[in-house]
């Protein structure tokens, strides 16, 4: 198939399109033609799709089946991951938890075992401050919502 390209500067170029494939669609078969030219002056990429009575050369992908397969593989992955996480929790050595929020304790504040985030808030604001109580309330609410 030959096509003439008319550029904005008035220049014309006649090109030969190469047939790539015939695709089956809901409205009938479509022939796909393509032309590619890459040079220093300009890069030209032309795709043309025309109705045809030829038989398809490509088989369309069944997207719904692929989506179902992906869902199944994701579900399997999640089940395996959940199983591994629960096993790891069973075998981890007992550790001390934060007296305020229950996370793993890594610091001590006024003789109490606390996690690093609570420790930083306690160091900034103090144990009986309104800011620390607000932080702890938000942390607890966030934990319950996630």
């Amino acid at each position: 198939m030959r096509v003439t390209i008319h550029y904005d500067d008035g220049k014309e170029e006649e090109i030969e399109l190469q047939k790539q494939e015939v695709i089956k669609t809901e409205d009938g078969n479509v022939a796909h033609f393509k032309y590619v030219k890459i040079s220093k002056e300009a890069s030209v990429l032309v795709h043309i799709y025309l109705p045809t009575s030829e038989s398809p050369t490509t088989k369309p992908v069944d997207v719904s089946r692929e989506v179902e397969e992906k869902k199944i593989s994701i579900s399997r992955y999640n089940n395996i991951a959940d199983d591994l996480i629960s096993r790891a929790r069973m075998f981890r050595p007992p550790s001390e938890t934060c007296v305020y929020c229950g996370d793993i304790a890594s610091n001590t504040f006024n003789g109490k075992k606390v996690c690093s985030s609570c420790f930083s808030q306690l160091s900034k604001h103090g144990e009986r401050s309104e800011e620390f109580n607000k932080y702890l309330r938000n942390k607890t609410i966030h934990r319950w919502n996630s």
Side-chain angles (χ1 to χ4, degrees), residues 8-108:
D8 291 341
D9 61 2
K11 194 166 85 172
E12 291 185 7
E13 180 180 3
E14 190 168 309
I15 61 171
E16 179 75 30
L17 294 169
Q18 302 297 316
K19 183 188 261 184
Q20 299 297 308
E21 60 197 349
V22 176
I23 305 166
K24 181 178 181 177
T25 66
E26 291 177 2
D27 299 328
N29 297 341
V30 177
H32 172 214
F33 295 88
K34 176 177 158 185
Y35 173 78
V36 177
K37 175 185 154 190
I38 299 175
S39 66
K40 291 184 180 180
E41 302 96 38
S43 296
V44 180
L45 178 62
V46 178
H47 288 274
I48 296 178
Y49 295 88
L50 298 173
T52 184
S53 59
E54 297 177 49
S55 59
T57 59
T58 61
K59 183 178 176 184
V61 177
D62 185 4
V63 177
S64 60
R65 192 183 75 190
E66 282 195 20
V67 168
E68 278 302 315
E69 288 174 2
K70 294 289 182 190
K71 283 182 184 177
I72 291 168
S73 67
I74 289 170
S75 175
R76 285 184 191 142
Y77 172 78
N78 286 339
N79 291 339
I80 292 169
D82 290 344
D83 184 48
L84 291 173
I85 289 169
S86 63
R87 285 185 195 178
R89 285 185 178 146
M90 283 191 302
F91 293 117
R92 81 173 174 205
S95 58
E96 296 187 30
T97 58
C98 175
V99 295
Y100 296 106
C101 68
D103 286 350
I104 296 174
S106 57
N107 294 300
T108 305

